[in-house]
Each structure stands twice: as structure tokens, then as C-alpha cells.
């Protein structure tokens, strides 16, 4: 059974979902009047929002959550690489493609990023264009910039 719970945060409303005590989704919700009938706050969801709040206020730089993102083998390989991008740093799509062993896969990396079901914890916001351009983010470019600025602010603390 999938459980979901919605939270208001300093970067907007987040939906956190878990199944079998593993986080399967953290996403941004643009509507404030969501009323999920199946909304249920579980211990692992509470742990996830606690860690998310710590991250947003600069006291957490790494997450310690059981994750189970749903995706293809390729997507999961990309998401694993994304988790290795250090806090406060950015990589290009090309760098991620090279890290998975396929330097020609930049566009496919972009699509895997777009389909990342666990925002922030799997830090697709840390992937930028080759020349430093802010391209593509499911939560919106403004939010991507906000997250990168947040990490830049707390990176050296």
C-alpha cells in the first residue's frame, strides 16, 4: 500500500510517498488545496520530512533514507550517479553520462533526470547544462536556482 502526505515548506508544498517503508516519491505540488483521501503520515514519511527540513535550513547535507524509486535500469543507474554529486556542486549532463559509462547519453540522462521521482534527495537539481546554463527541472528553473543557491549558502558552513 502506498502512503502519501503533503507538507508546506519554505520552497513550496512537497508530497512524500512511501511503500513498504521505503520512500518512492518526493515531488513538488503546485496546488494548495490537495486533499488525498489516502493521506497518511507514517514513521518513514515523518523521518523524510524531518531530514528535508534540516536540508532546507542548512543543517543536513546528506540524506539517510531508504529509497525505492520506480524506473528503468538506465534511469536507476543515472539516479545512483546523481546521489554521488557532492552537496554544493554541480555536474553537467555530459559528466553524468560519462559517469555511467556512456558519454553519448547526455540526452537520455536529461530524460532520466526529468523522470526522477524523488526530488532533492536524488539531487537532479545539481545537473546543469555543459556551459553552466540552468536547463530543465521538474520543479521549475526558479526552484532549481533556489536549491542551488541554498546549497551554495550553506556549503562551507
Amino acid at each position: 500500500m502506498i502512503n502519501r502526505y503533503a507538507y508546506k515548506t519554505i520552497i513550496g508544498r512537497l508530497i512524500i510517498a512511501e511503500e513498504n517503508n521505503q520512500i518512492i516519491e518526493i515531488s513538488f505540488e503546485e496546488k494548495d488545496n490537495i486533499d488525498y483521501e489516502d493521506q497518511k503520515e507514517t514513521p518513514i514519511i515523518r523521518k523524510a520530512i524531518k531530514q528535508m527540513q534540516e536540508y532546507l535550513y542548512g543543517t543536513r547535507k546528506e540524506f539517510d533514507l531508504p529509497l525505492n524509486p520506480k524506473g528503468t535500469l538506465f534511469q536507476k543507474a543515472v539516479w545512483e550517479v546523481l546521489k554521488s554529486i557532492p552537496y554544493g556542486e554541480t555536474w553537467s549532463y555530459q559528466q553524468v553520462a560519462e559517469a555511467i559509462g556512456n558519454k553519448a547519453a547526455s540526452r537520455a540522462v536529461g530524460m532520466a533526470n526529468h523522470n526522477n521521482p524523488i526530488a532533492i534527495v536524488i539531487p537532479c537539481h545539481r545537473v546543469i547544462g555543459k556551459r553552466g546554463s540552468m536547463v530543465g527541472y521538474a520543479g521549475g528553473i526558479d526552484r532549481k536556482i533556489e536549491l542551488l543557491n541554498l546549497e551554495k549558502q550553506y556549503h562551507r558552513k
Side-chain angles (χ1 to χ4, degrees):
M1 179 173 155
I2 296 175
N3 296 298
R4 285 185 177 77
Y5 205 82
Y7 298 91
K8 288 184 181 179
T9 72
I10 62 171
I11 58 165
R13 193 172 168 103
L14 290 177
I15 308 298
I16 301 176
E18 66 93 3
E19 182 177 39
N20 299 321
N21 213 29
Q22 296 177 313
I23 300 297
I24 61 168
E25 176 188 350
I26 297 178
S27 60
F28 299 103
E29 180 53 62
E30 301 305 325
K31 302 173 199 144
D32 274 340
N33 60 351
I34 299 273
D35 184 26
Y36 292 108
E37 287 183 23
D38 64 343
Q39 187 161 271
K40 180 180 177 188
E41 189 179 40
T42 65
I44 193 65
I45 290 175
R46 277 193 295 279
K47 181 178 180 181
I49 193 59
K50 180 180 185 296
Q51 289 189 21
M52 188 66 62
Q53 294 289 12
E54 292 167 349
Y55 165 83
L56 293 172
Y57 289 98
T59 60
R60 175 175 291 276
K61 294 181 170 76
E62 294 180 13
F63 293 92
D64 178 26
L65 296 167
L67 306 178
N68 189 13
K70 308 292 187 209
T72 66
L73 289 176
F74 178 82
Q75 288 170 332
K76 289 179 180 186
V78 169
W79 300 334
E80 280 302 311
V81 168
L82 297 183
K83 292 190 306 187
S84 73
I85 301 173
Y87 180 94
E89 294 184 21
T90 57
W91 286 15
S92 69
Y93 292 94
Q94 182 69 45
Q95 286 174 290
V96 175
E98 289 170 2
I100 62 168
N102 186 348
K103 64 182 182 179
S106 293
R107 286 185 186 268
V109 164
M111 287 308 297
N113 261 18
H114 177 75
N115 291 309
N116 173 16
I118 304 177
I120 302 172
V121 176
I122 299 176
C124 57
H125 63 279
R126 295 181 188 151
V127 182
I128 60 175
K130 191 187 287 188
R131 293 178 183 82
S133 58
M134 294 295 146
V135 293
Y137 187 61
I141 297 296
D142 289 344
R143 191 172 281 132
K144 179 176 189 160
I145 292 168
E146 183 178 9
L147 290 168
L148 291 173
N149 286 339
L150 179 142
E151 290 187 12
K152 188 176 183 182
Q153 173 186 351
Y154 293 117
H155 180 62
R156 289 184 169 66
K157 290 185 180 181

